[in-house]
Amino acid sequence: MTDRSLAVIVLAAGKGTRMRSALPKVLHKVAGRSMIGHVVAAAEALGADPVVVVVAPGMDSVAAAVKPHPVAVQTEQNGTADAVKAAREPLAGFAGDVLILYGDCPLIQADTLARMRQERQDEAVTVLGIRVRGVSPYGRLVLSADGTLERIVEALDATEAERRIDLCNSGVMLIDGARLFVLLDAIGNSNAKGEYYLTDIVAVARNAGLSCRVVEAPAQEALGVNSRAELSVAEVTMQTRLRRKAMENGATLIDPKSVWFAFDTALGSDVTVEPNVVFGPGVTVGDGVEIRAFCHIEKATIETGAIIGPYARLRPGASIGEGAHIGNFVEIKNARIDKGAKANHLSYIGDADVGAGANIGAGTITCNYDGFSKFRTKIGAGAFIGSDTTLVAPVSVGAGAFTGAGSTVTEDVPDDALAVARGRQAVKPGWAAEFRAKQRAAKDKG
Ligand code: UD1
Ligand code: MG
């Protein structure tokens, strides 16, 4: 039935009080992307249109985060069926499939949802079921003798026997859009919470002579995040997936558990990542790159064969060319380091262009900021920047030029020149011995 058009409704109006946060719950991040961002991305991967996000009044930051997708406002949080009803207007006239997702379930995977659509037959309501043994807060799926779904009973409303059912409601439902709102209107609120339960749509559909069915999925994907502890569980699960994917794509992770990826980290093949490396969002790494231990990398591009770290920090806008070396305690921000250039020790290179094959000596600093504006430093191809050079931007050092160690460079240096900008050394022979003798004599007297 996958030729039917698809709309997605993402429920995100819940208060999330247990997060104890000023931020709406669904904006908390997993692998560098908000939870709702993960859910919306899964909806997009299925080609859903529209994707309507249901929010509570005042959740403007959520509306901004899901743009360009529309939001629908649920005025009061009267339950999941009431929340879906809030999307009535944006879905007026839509007769394809409507998939219901939760904004606080970031682990749901597009592949699973696609399979759910494929396995669907012609039932009015398909529920994604999970197997959970023992005590759990999930709604229980009650099946008929023929294996179809008869009704869902919430844990709070269930009898002891019903609570023993291990087939549970993940919360994900696929509903025939032509019937959705008619069925919702028949749902009442006489239950333990006095809420309008979306889960009751199954019994309502059955009463109307329609069929309902369950498609099963791994329980892991249904994890709902209500607290910071659950957020950390979601993070670890997501990281496990990302690490596995990186290795499947041909990267070596020496200690996978200590490498932290962002949702969009793109590694080429034959990349080696040593232990304790953190990737923020927006990182692309070319083939054969070596990332040594203890690096922090975000919004950066690293080209083929470069060596990064140990202990390097690549900040937004760092662009490292083929075969370049960035060594320990080197920070690069908004700067291009061309092919084969090296900055191996203790440097800050910000707002700069470093030419191919240039060598940046230990302790080099670009002084890019005067407290108000940022300025650029240009270093030509093959230049040699002496150790402990401070480059006061805007300034340029020409191709093949040298700067003397310890120089403070404030004026442009032409190609192939040497710039030395430091105090001349004076040597006074015997001075130290005389000084000591004088001091001792004074002490003996006193
Ligand atoms: C719901 C299901 C339960 C299922 C479980 C899976 C119902 C009645 N129960 O229970 O069967 O096992 O999810 O996690 O549907 N929301 C709104 N507006 C509301 C209420 C909720 O937008 O008025 C949103 C929440 O933000 C959340 C989602 O709907 O994203 C689910 O709500 P929640 O209160 O967590 O439902 P559960 O009680 O967990
Ligand atoms: Mg819940």
Side-chain angles (χ1 to χ4, degrees):
M1 301 285 288
T2 47
D3 53 340
R4 287 167 60 92
S5 57
L6 180 72
V8 167
I9 301 175
V10 183
L11 304 188
K15 295 236 160 43
T17 39
R18 276 191 281 157
M19 294 298 281
R20 298 187 186 280
S21 176
L23 194 67
K25 175 167 76 175
V26 295
L27 294 185
H28 283 263
K29 287 180 178 171
V30 172
R33 173 160 70 181
S34 68
M35 293 197 273
I36 190 113
H38 284 281
V39 177
V40 166
E44 286 169 348
L46 295 171
D49 182 26
V51 177
V52 180
V53 178
V54 177
V55 297
M59 283 189 176
D60 300 342
S61 51
V62 177
V66 301
K67 265 184 183 156
H69 301 294
V71 294
V73 178
Q74 182 192 20
T75 322
E76 276 178 67
Q77 279 55 72
N78 288 328
T80 45
D82 183 65
V84 175
K85 278 188 199 169
R88 191 191 297 263
E89 231 174 82
L91 288 185
F94 183 84
D97 291 332
V98 178
L99 180 68
I100 313 291
L101 302 175
Y102 293 170
D104 57 2
C105 293
L107 298 174
I108 194 74
Q109 304 209 77
D111 287 355
T112 301
L113 299 171
R115 180 172 60 79
M116 181 188 187
R117 294 192 74 205
Q118 252 147 28
E119 289 182 16
R120 179 179 184 213
Q121 291 160 13
D122 60 352
E123 63 270 13
V125 179
T126 315
V127 172
L128 197 67
I130 51 175
R131 295 281 172 183
V132 181
R133 253 177 258 287
V135 181
S136 83
Y138 294 110
R140 305 300 204 269
L141 304 182
V142 181
L143 304 185
S144 307
D146 64 357
T148 59
L149 179 60
E150 196 172 289
R151 63 197 164 86
I152 305 178
V153 56
E154 286 303 284
L156 281 180
D157 300 294
T159 63
E160 217 171 288
E162 286 166 340
R163 249 176 276 162
R164 278 197 292 274
I165 298 173
D166 71 350
L167 188 58
C168 296
N169 177 23
S170 68
V172 176
M173 284 192 198
L174 189 59
I175 304 168
D176 176 1
R179 305 181 194 272
L180 172 63
F181 293 101
V182 179
L183 296 173
L184 286 177
D185 286 337
I187 293 175
N189 66 346
S190 48
N191 50 51
K193 284 194 183 168
E195 286 186 352
Y196 296 88
Y197 290 168
L198 178 60
T199 45
D200 285 347
I201 200 168
V202 172
V204 166
R206 291 288 292 234
N207 281 341
L210 302 166
S211 75
C212 303
R213 244 170 35 90
V214 179
V215 168
E216 285 193 49
Q220 190 195 58
E221 293 192 31
L223 174 74
V225 171
N226 299 300
S227 64
R228 307 266 182 168
E230 285 166 350
L231 185 66
S232 75
V233 173
E235 180 74 43
V236 166
T237 307
M238 187 69 81
Q239 291 296 336
T240 303
R241 274 186 204 164
L242 293 168
R243 291 163 188 155
R244 195 178 304 141
K245 191 183 89 186
M247 291 187 279
E248 278 166 9
N249 290 342
T252 293
L253 309 183
I254 291 171
D255 177 23
K257 283 192 308 300
S258 73
V259 178
W260 294 80
F261 288 111
F263 68 98
D264 62 348
T265 307
L267 302 186
S269 66
D270 290 317
V271 169
T272 299
V273 184
E274 289 187 356
N276 298 299
V277 172
V278 176
F279 292 93
V283 176
T284 304
V285 178
D287 294 345
V289 167
E290 218 179 286
I291 299 176
R292 296 189 175 156
F294 295 100
C295 289
H296 191 282
I297 303 172
E298 57 185 324
K299 292 198 178 72
T301 305
I302 305 168
E303 292 168 21
T304 311
I307 299 177
I308 310 297
Y311 297 100
R313 178 165 185 210
L314 303 184
R315 290 175 52 205
S319 161
I320 312 301
E322 196 180 322
H325 291 191
I326 305 298
N328 43 270
F329 306 106
V330 174
E331 173 182 346
I332 311 278
K333 186 218 73 173
N334 190 27
R336 167 68 184 171
I337 311 296
D338 259 347
K339 188 173 175 171
K342 292 179 184 165
N344 270 331
H345 333 269
L346 302 155
S347 288
Y348 171 60
I349 308 296
D351 301 307
D353 299 288
V354 175
N359 189 88
I360 309 292
T364 297
I365 304 289
T366 54
C367 308
N368 59 326
Y369 186 46
D370 62 5
F372 296 92
S373 313
K374 303 275 169 68
F375 301 96
R376 261 190 119 71
T377 298
K378 294 194 168 155
I379 296 171
F384 185 95
I385 307 300
S387 292
D388 202 23
T389 296
T390 56
L391 298 151
V392 183
V395 75
S396 70
V397 176
F402 271 57
T403 67
S407 289
T408 297
V409 176
T410 56
E411 286 166 31
D412 291 353
V413 181
D415 291 358
D416 294 319
L418 165 68
V420 182
R422 63 182 187 224
R424 266 192 183 282
Q425 183 170 326
V427 177
K428 303 184 177 178
W431 184 93
E434 272 169 43
F435 173 77
R436 276 192 297 270
K438 257 191 231 162
Q439 295 297 316
R440 270 189 215 118
K443 216 175 185 182
D444 291 348
K445 242 194 207 167

